Amino acid sequence: MLPDSVLLTDRSGPVPLYFQIATGIEQAIRSGDLPAGARLENEIALSERLGLSRPTIRRAIQELVDKGLIVRRRGIGTQVVHGSVTRQVELTSLWEDLERTGQHPTTTLLRREVIEADQRMVDALGVELGSPVLHLRRLRGADGVPVSILENYLPEDFTDLTEEQLRQHGLYQLLRMRGVTMRVARQRIGARRATPAESKLLEIDRNGPLLTMDRTAYDASGKAAEFGHHCYRPDLYSFEITLVGH
């Protein structure tokens, strides 16, 4: 429950009530009074406690959701998170990005299977048609909150990666353990609507927006080491690019 001091409002002043509430909660989150994982009261409880309308409370909560400070989770309610992850567009993994921002990454392995390479894998990885390829699909979380669905394809050299390894480590960490050094990648960033299955996994509104990234990464010898299609919750994740003029 939020401390009473967070929710004091000046009803006669010029500052909108929703903004006062959102600011008070934000200060409590940033100061640590409301730690990551803390749950907030629902809109009905807060509106009754404060004697304010539900639309006012809803707008205050939405302000914090838009800032990436809290998330709404189906079956759980409204919960504090560390904040959104801003990813420099560089050759790192999501696991490393989360650790760098002080968050605890988790992995739910949705699929691990060895398949035969189709034409798309031939074009992306430079493997032979029909050769063994490791297909992975994972749900990546940060402090228990789902952030991304990661789908990756790796050539035959890596088909022996185990489920336990994939749950305990990031993919690029595992490749480095095998002596692979990533040197360059070709990457495309986009956006689309979530499928019903993705909406459920990421705990977002049905058909909500997603950020997407397609990447083929190459090792020091110029050989493709992995191809991935990833989708991210835009309220918890963003890409940052530095542009230099000439």
Side-chain angles (χ1 to χ4, degrees):
M1 179 178 288
L2 295 173
D4 290 335
S5 59
V6 170
L7 303 176
L8 293 176
T9 55
D10 179 5
R11 297 172 188 261
S12 61
V15 181
L17 294 175
Y18 81 87
F19 185 80
Q20 294 182 50
I21 296 168
T23 299
I25 297 174
E26 179 177 352
Q27 291 173 348
I29 292 172
R30 297 195 184 282
S31 69
D33 291 338
L34 280 174
R39 296 181 188 177
L40 276 63
E41 298 157 85
N42 61 38
E43 292 177 6
I44 296 175
L46 279 174
S47 64
E48 291 177 351
R49 182 175 166 194
L50 294 173
L52 297 172
S53 68
R54 287 184 65 186
T56 297
I57 300 298
R58 187 177 301 117
R59 185 168 181 185
I61 295 299
Q62 189 61 48
E63 287 281 317
L64 299 167
V65 170
D66 292 342
K67 289 185 176 183
L69 295 173
I70 62 175
V71 292
R72 295 187 179 102
R73 303 184 65 189
R74 293 176 182 172
I76 295 178
T78 306
Q79 192 173 24
V80 178
V81 297
H82 276 297
S84 61
V85 179
T86 299
R87 183 176 196 168
Q88 297 281 344
V89 180
E90 56 188 8
L91 197 48
T92 60
S93 69
L94 177 55
W95 184 286
E96 294 164 327
D97 294 333
L98 292 170
E99 287 188 326
R100 188 184 67 243
T101 57
Q103 303 186 60
H104 175 63
T106 57
T107 299
T108 300
L109 188 60
L110 305 173
R111 181 174 298 170
R112 182 204 171 278
E113 60 181 350
V114 178
I115 62 175
E116 293 184 358
D118 59 16
Q119 189 59 49
R120 183 172 64 139
M121 297 303 99
V122 171
D123 295 339
L125 296 174
V127 297
E128 293 185 5
L129 187 66
S131 64
V133 170
L134 180 63
H135 175 211
L136 304 174
R137 193 165 184 259
R138 297 162 294 153
L139 177 65
R140 180 59 46 77
D143 296 316
V145 178
V147 175
S148 178
I149 299 171
L150 313 173
E151 190 159 21
N152 295 85
Y153 299 86
L154 295 92
E156 185 175 3
D157 291 346
F158 308 109
T159 55
D160 59 342
L161 289 174
T162 68
E163 293 186 8
E164 184 63 23
Q165 288 174 319
L166 293 163
R167 289 192 182 97
Q168 296 297 322
H169 301 280
L171 182 58
Y172 282 14
Q173 289 179 328
L174 292 173
L175 294 182
R176 282 196 295 270
M177 292 176 189
R178 304 283 284 268
V180 177
T181 301
M182 297 296 197
R183 290 298 187 193
V184 68
R186 184 174 67 249
Q187 182 167 284
R188 181 171 63 244
I189 297 170
R192 61 173 173 81
R193 292 190 179 277
T195 66
E198 290 168 338
S199 300
K200 184 175 181 180
L201 284 171
L202 292 172
E203 300 178 6
I204 61 176
D205 293 337
R206 189 179 180 88
N207 299 321
L210 292 176
L211 288 172
T212 64
M213 181 185 72
D214 292 334
R215 172 191 282 181
T216 303
Y218 301 87
D219 64 18
S221 69
K223 182 180 178 181
E226 65 96 9
F227 166 74
H229 173 75
H230 303 169
C231 59
Y232 304 87
R233 287 179 54 158
D235 60 331
L236 297 179
Y237 203 83
S238 63
F239 296 98
E240 183 174 298
I241 302 172
T242 299
L243 303 177
V244 180
H246 295 283

